[in-house]
Amino acid sequence: MKLIIHGGFFSESLTNQEVKKAKQEALRDIVTKGYEYLQTHTATETVVYTVSLLEDCDLFNAGTGSQIQSDGKIRLSAALMDGKTQKLSGVINVEDIKNPIQVAEKLMAFPDRVLSGTGGQDFAREHGFEHYNPEISQRRQEYEKKLSDSIRLGTVGCVALDAEGNIAAGTSTGGKGFEMPGRVSDSATTAGNYANQFAGISCTGVGEDIVSASVASTIVTRVTDGFTIEAATKKTLDEMKPYDGFAGVIGIAKNGDVFHADTHPYMVWASHDGNVQVFN
């Protein structure tokens, strides 16, 4: 059994040691809880549980503490993919939801599995998800000061390999902050979140760059075709160099190989296979 999570990219690695340490400690705690949960649950159940913990931690840009868009509103996106069934479900740009990954999980049982905007919100309300304001004061202060030059790419994600050999991946984001309303990131698409029986990938970074390279699905396809997850990831990220693509990747292959990589050295991540590793 293996588990790996990420907390996205963050500029504090070089500028704020207190925030850096807090994020590292949060990831250590969450990956430990997620790995314990994995002992008695499936990969898909574990991904939902672990991403929910990440969404509830206001240090990251997903769920509570998400970035505010240019019109002053918070909109959330999340996706879940079960590698065994190869079904992806998700929500795009929904408002006033605490845990969008849980709405994505609920959608897995429906024929229309990816909903956006008010459609996603209406679905959530109809299925018991109460109104919740994910804003925290820090994000409002950043918005009011228009700190668009301070990139806080804190999308969260999780990939799990369970005892039965099944893989699942989940990704959740509040967007990049100050973006144009209606902008769609990679997180709720197969470019940013993908899994099958051979591998699972969750991405973070600049959504437009990740979509341009179809990063997650391309890596998984290459692993399916015989690449190691390391070789598949490196080749895919290399293909982003012509436009200086900004991306980070976490993944697990069917054989148990766990891999992470980024094009810019600021992704924070943690893994657990009986031993915890936390890095940025």
Side-chain angles (χ1 to χ4, degrees), residues 5 7-8 10 20 24 27-28 260 266-271 276-280:
I5 64 177
F10 60 97
K20 175 181 176 180
Q24 289 173 329
L27 288 179
R28 183 183 299 277
H260 67 93
Y266 303 122
M267 182 177 70
V268 61
W269 61 274
S271 66
V276 181
Q277 295 186 75
V278 181
F279 290 98
N280 64 279

Side-chain angles (χ1 to χ4, degrees), residues 142 145-151 177-178:
E142 291 171 357
K145 293 178 181 178
K146 298 187 181 297
L147 296 180
S148 56
D149 59 336
S150 176
I151 299 174
F178 303 100

Side-chain angles (χ1 to χ4, degrees), residues 7-269:
F9 284 88
F10 60 97
S11 58
E12 297 93 334
S13 286
L14 299 177
T15 62
N16 191 322
Q17 291 302 306
E18 183 179 350
V19 173
K20 175 181 176 180
K21 182 178 180 181
K23 290 186 174 183
Q24 289 173 329
E25 290 177 351
L27 288 179
R28 183 183 299 277
D29 179 59
I30 291 170
V31 80
T32 299
K33 289 178 179 176
Y35 187 74
E36 291 172 353
Y37 192 86
L38 181 60
Q39 307 308 301
T40 54
H41 294 82
T42 68
T44 300
E45 291 169 338
T46 300
V47 164
V48 174
Y49 171 78
T50 307
V51 172
S52 293
L53 294 178
L54 289 162
E55 289 174 338
D56 291 343
C57 180
D58 62 12
L59 291 168
F60 304 109
N61 176 30
T64 302
S66 288
Q67 293 284 357
I68 300 173
Q69 298 188 0
S70 61
D71 62 351
K73 295 183 178 181
I74 293 174
R75 297 179 179 88
L76 309 175
S77 299
L80 173 69
M81 189 158 185
D82 183 321
K84 183 177 181 180
T85 63
Q86 290 190 250
K87 288 184 177 181
L88 179 139
S89 58
V91 289
I92 299 172
N93 287 331
V94 295
E95 299 178 37
D96 301 320
I97 298 294
K98 183 178 183 182
N99 294 110
I101 192 68
Q102 294 179 19
V103 184
E105 179 187 32
K106 182 69 69 173
L107 279 163
M108 190 68 76
F110 289 79
D112 302 324
R113 293 195 298 274
V114 180
L115 298 179
S116 65
T118 56
Q121 289 157 226
D122 291 345
F123 175 89
R125 300 288 179 258
E126 291 167 5
H127 290 84
F129 292 87
E130 298 179 355
H131 181 281
Y132 178 81
N133 181 4
E135 182 180 314
I136 62 173
S137 59
Q138 177 189 341
R139 295 296 187 235
R140 178 56 59 180
Q141 291 166 9
E142 291 171 357
Y143 174 77
E144 290 174 350
K145 293 178 181 178
K146 298 187 181 297
L147 296 180
S148 56
D149 59 336
S150 176
I151 299 174
R152 293 172 177 266
L153 299 167
T155 295
V156 303
C158 176
V159 182
L161 172 68
D162 64 26
E164 302 300 319
N166 298 317
I167 300 170
T171 308
S172 182
T173 188
K176 63 182 180 180
F178 303 100
E179 65 265 57
M180 185 184 302
R183 179 250 185 189
V184 176
S185 74
D186 66 290
S187 298
T189 76
T190 57
N193 190 85
Y194 197 78
N196 66 9
Q197 64 268 40
F198 295 97
I201 294 291
S202 173
C203 298
T204 183
V206 175
E208 287 76 6
D209 293 351
I210 293 167
V211 168
S212 293
S214 299
V215 173
S217 56
T218 298
I219 292 172
V220 172
T221 298
R222 284 173 168 156
V223 174
T224 302
D225 290 343
F227 281 64
T228 65
I229 193 168
E230 178 176 358
T233 301
K234 287 182 175 179
K235 180 174 177 59
T236 304
L237 295 186
D238 281 347
E239 291 170 349
M240 302 176 74
K241 288 181 178 178
Y243 54 92
D244 192 28
F246 198 125
V249 169
I250 58 170
I252 301 177
K254 182 179 181 180
N255 65 0
D257 286 350
V258 178
F259 191 69
H260 67 93
D262 47 42
T263 59
H264 297 70
Y266 303 122
M267 182 177 70
V268 61
W269 61 274

